[in-house]
Amino acid sequence: MTIFTASKVAWDGETHLAVRIKGTDAILTLFDPQSPPAGRTHLKGEETAVTLGGHEFGIKLSPATYENLLAFDRKVSPQRRLVALGREKGVRHGLGTGNRVVITEKDVGSLGHPEALGVFEGIFRAVKGSGVPDWFIQQSIVRELIPEGVSPEDHPGLGHTGGYGPRELLRSGLFAFLALGGYAAPDFFIGADADHAIVTGANEEELQASLELNRIAIAESKDYTKFTVDTSRLFGFPVSLSPEDEKRLKAAFLGRTWEIPNILPGHPGFSYTFEEGEILALGRKYWRACQVHKELYEFIAGLKGDEPFDYELSLDETASPTEPKELLFYLVLLYEVMGLPEGAVSSAAPNLGFRKRSDYEGDVEGDLKPRTNACASILAHFGAALCIHSGSGAGIETGKGPGVDQALAEATGGHIMLKVSGIYQEILWRTLAASPRLEDRELFERAWDETHRVTRFLDLVYRRLVAGREAAEAMRLLEDEAELARIGDEWGNR
């Protein structure tokens, strides 16, 4: 048995520890059999009493299942730690730490290092030491993860981090948080972000299929505390506004002026008005995207009941940066036309000109800072925080490029959230490659060689089968095992 000693917490006469025993994550509870039972009654497991050295004490062993870990957080711990950081704690800055190196239940039995907790360990040390609010558990629920009951064959590319779903990510993250001492540290709160529910579709049929997949993923993520929904691929979705729709738009926008205070005290604010033609054009552009936000927000609210949750808008995966005036329009459309409840949006991520895994290439002083300042000010006016997606740049030391993070902080007065993910894999590989331990370096070499092997093979497959073909036809060819074997032999001979 491996005992995570940092996890030790004692409440109401019971001592709880995270352990691994015979390849299984578990919660070990020690107690006085003569005392009335306390928190352990909420954990499903087996208990017994033993006598050692003339002293009797009780032992309960509870598998670290999804249900038991949630019960530990909500009912055993005197202070709930998994919370809606925005709604419950008023957080308007922090870090979302997407983690694609996870120790799942199926991995535990074959661990070479029984105390391994994946990348969660490094993230925990960093945020605990800095005190930065952290969405400790975060992955895209319809890109990196694959919900239970969804076939990966029906959704190519889904679940590419290993085939586990939102429930298993939350389970592994909560176990890591317990094992590393999260419950032993006073007032250490974390969030869990069901990140990037991505809604797509070129027509209504495709849109409904995408919505169904996202509802399945969101339903499995119902115990998360934050939901990030991306409808940016629906911008410009073809709609025909009825006379009543146009009337609602004009009533919300025509003849009004929005005076937006600057988020930076002492700096000039912003003033926005909309002309009739502009109102109707923007209304058509964003109508279906905002309808979907309303629908999914209400779906989440139904799942959560009285449980508070944070809701984030993702607007960043677009071809061009978000105009601040259009961000204002989007929020007014959501609240005043679609009827989203006041304060529903906790945060939003406009497109500030960033590309994934690339340094910022634009004008920091002339474009990035003023755009960021305006967007942050508009969001603050609606009680929401600015979030930066695609926060990892070309290197691990400089964020989105030298000086960019500092410029973002200056433009927002520090009221900013940042999401990063891919950076942790690069840090892991660099650490392994430079490790004084031979086995670490050998692991890196194996991973390096396998990556090269797979990418060279996939490149050949792409050139031979996929390039220039329709996606559906390409997928049918990729499922032809005989053809793939023949190509594999050809690659091996080369």
Side-chain angles (χ1 to χ4, degrees):
M1 179 168 66
T2 299
I3 300 176
F4 295 89
T5 55
S7 68
K8 180 181 177 181
V9 287
W11 303 303
D12 296 333
E14 298 175 345
T15 299
H16 307 277
L17 292 146
V19 301
R20 279 190 172 135
I21 181 168
K22 295 183 178 180
T24 301
D25 291 341
I27 302 169
L28 176 66
T29 304
L30 307 176
F31 58 92
D32 180 355
Q34 306 305 316
S35 299
R40 74 178 189 275
T41 59
H42 299 292
L43 303 176
K44 295 181 180 179
E46 300 293 331
E47 66 178 67
T48 187
V50 298
T51 301
L52 289 176
H55 296 282
E56 185 182 39
F57 61 94
I59 298 176
K60 183 169 186 176
L61 193 63
S62 308
T65 61
Y66 183 86
E67 291 76 14
N68 273 342
L69 286 164
L70 279 179
F72 190 89
D73 182 77
R74 295 173 176 179
K75 298 178 180 180
V76 178
S77 171
Q79 190 179 46
R80 186 169 175 171
R81 304 307 181 88
L82 181 64
V83 299
L85 292 174
R87 285 282 186 89
E88 293 184 77
K89 300 298 177 182
V91 167
R92 290 292 180 266
H93 71 284
L95 186 65
T97 45
N99 178 3
R100 298 169 187 167
V101 183
V102 174
I103 306 298
T104 66
E105 279 189 297
K106 66 181 181 181
D107 300 320
V108 176
S110 58
L111 287 175
H113 180 49
E115 294 186 8
L117 294 166
V119 178
F120 281 123
E121 185 173 0
I123 296 171
F124 182 91
R125 287 202 306 267
V127 298
K128 185 174 183 294
S130 66
V132 173
D134 181 44
W135 283 266
F136 186 66
I137 300 161
Q138 172 192 292
Q139 281 195 40
S140 171
I141 56 175
V142 291
R143 186 162 55 197
E144 282 81 33
L145 304 179
I146 182 163
E148 296 173 10
V150 172
S151 172
E153 288 77 15
D154 296 335
H155 301 278
L158 194 68
H160 63 69
T161 55
Y164 56 90
R167 280 172 57 92
E168 179 55 25
L169 175 65
L170 186 57
R171 188 214 67 83
S172 61
L174 286 176
F175 181 78
F177 183 73
L178 169 63
L180 291 164
Y183 290 93
D187 299 321
F188 189 0
F189 303 100
I190 58 170
D193 185 358
D195 191 27
H196 261 76
I198 306 170
V199 186
T200 64
N203 53 56
E204 197 62 35
E205 183 180 0
E206 292 177 0
L207 172 56
Q208 291 304 318
S210 178
L211 275 171
E212 180 59 24
L213 171 63
N214 279 279
R215 289 190 198 98
I216 292 171
I218 290 170
E220 187 179 329
S221 310
K222 66 183 179 66
D223 295 309
Y224 283 59
T225 63
K226 181 178 181 179
F227 299 84
T228 300
V229 178
D230 183 353
T231 66
S232 60
R233 291 163 179 80
L234 302 181
F235 294 173
F237 188 93
V239 295
S240 296
L241 299 181
S242 68
E244 180 60 29
D245 294 334
E246 293 187 359
K247 182 179 178 181
R248 290 161 59 197
L249 279 170
K250 293 175 186 178
F253 290 96
L254 195 59
R256 291 178 62 184
T257 299
W258 282 266
E259 300 293 345
I260 307 295
N262 199 305
I263 196 170
L264 302 177
H267 289 244
F270 306 88
S271 181
Y272 299 103
T273 59
F274 297 90
E275 300 298 325
E276 182 173 347
E278 185 180 24
I279 293 167
L280 296 177
L282 291 177
R284 284 188 288 268
K285 177 180 179 180
Y286 293 126
W287 190 267
R288 200 67 183 95
C290 287
Q291 278 185 323
V292 168
H293 272 304
K294 174 70 181 315
E295 182 177 338
L296 290 182
Y297 181 89
E298 290 181 342
F299 180 71
I300 295 166
L303 291 170
K304 299 295 287 184
D306 294 333
E307 287 280 325
F309 63 93
D310 295 322
Y311 189 85
E312 180 167 298
L313 310 175
S314 175
L315 303 93
D316 71 311
E317 297 195 12
T318 54
S320 56
T322 304
E323 292 302 324
K325 186 178 185 181
E326 294 195 19
L327 175 61
L328 171 67
F329 185 95
Y330 200 81
L331 290 163
V332 175
L333 180 61
L334 278 172
Y335 281 122
E336 298 191 24
V337 180
M338 298 298 168
L340 216 60
E342 183 179 355
V345 177
S346 301
S347 52
N351 185 336
L352 299 177
F354 293 160
R355 294 187 297 112
K356 291 180 181 295
R357 293 173 291 278
S358 302
D359 287 352
Y360 179 69
E361 298 172 349
D363 183 347
V364 173
E365 293 296 326
D367 186 24
L368 179 62
K369 284 184 74 171
R371 185 184 303 275
T372 301
N373 176 244
C375 287
S377 299
I378 291 167
L379 287 166
H381 180 72
F382 288 89
L386 176 74
C387 188
I388 305 295
H389 291 184
S390 304
S392 303
I396 63 174
E397 294 90 359
T398 57
K400 298 300 288 185
V404 172
D405 286 348
Q406 180 64 27
L408 295 173
E410 292 173 356
T412 61
H415 296 286
I416 191 170
M417 298 174 183
L418 178 67
K419 287 188 176 182
V420 293
S421 55
I423 186 173
Y424 299 117
Q425 279 76 273
E426 184 174 349
I427 293 172
L428 175 62
W429 299 138
R430 288 193 183 197
T431 302
L432 290 173
S435 173
R437 290 161 49 97
L438 177 62
E439 54 266 44
D440 290 346
R441 298 195 302 276
E442 289 176 342
L443 175 61
F444 170 76
E445 292 295 338
R446 290 203 304 273
W448 184 263
D449 291 343
E450 179 67 8
T451 301
H452 273 269
R453 186 189 71 79
V454 171
T455 53
R456 289 175 63 189
F457 176 69
L458 290 178
D459 177 64
L460 179 62
V461 170
Y462 178 81
R463 286 187 283 110
R464 291 295 305 276
L465 297 181
V466 181
R469 299 180 185 270
E470 293 295 325
E473 181 186 1
M475 289 309 302
R476 284 195 296 271
L477 288 169
L478 288 173
E479 291 168 359
D480 187 336
E481 294 184 6
E483 178 67 0
L484 285 180
R486 187 187 64 75
I487 293 174
D489 290 339
E490 179 182 322
W491 175 80
N493 292 334
R494 292 173 57 192

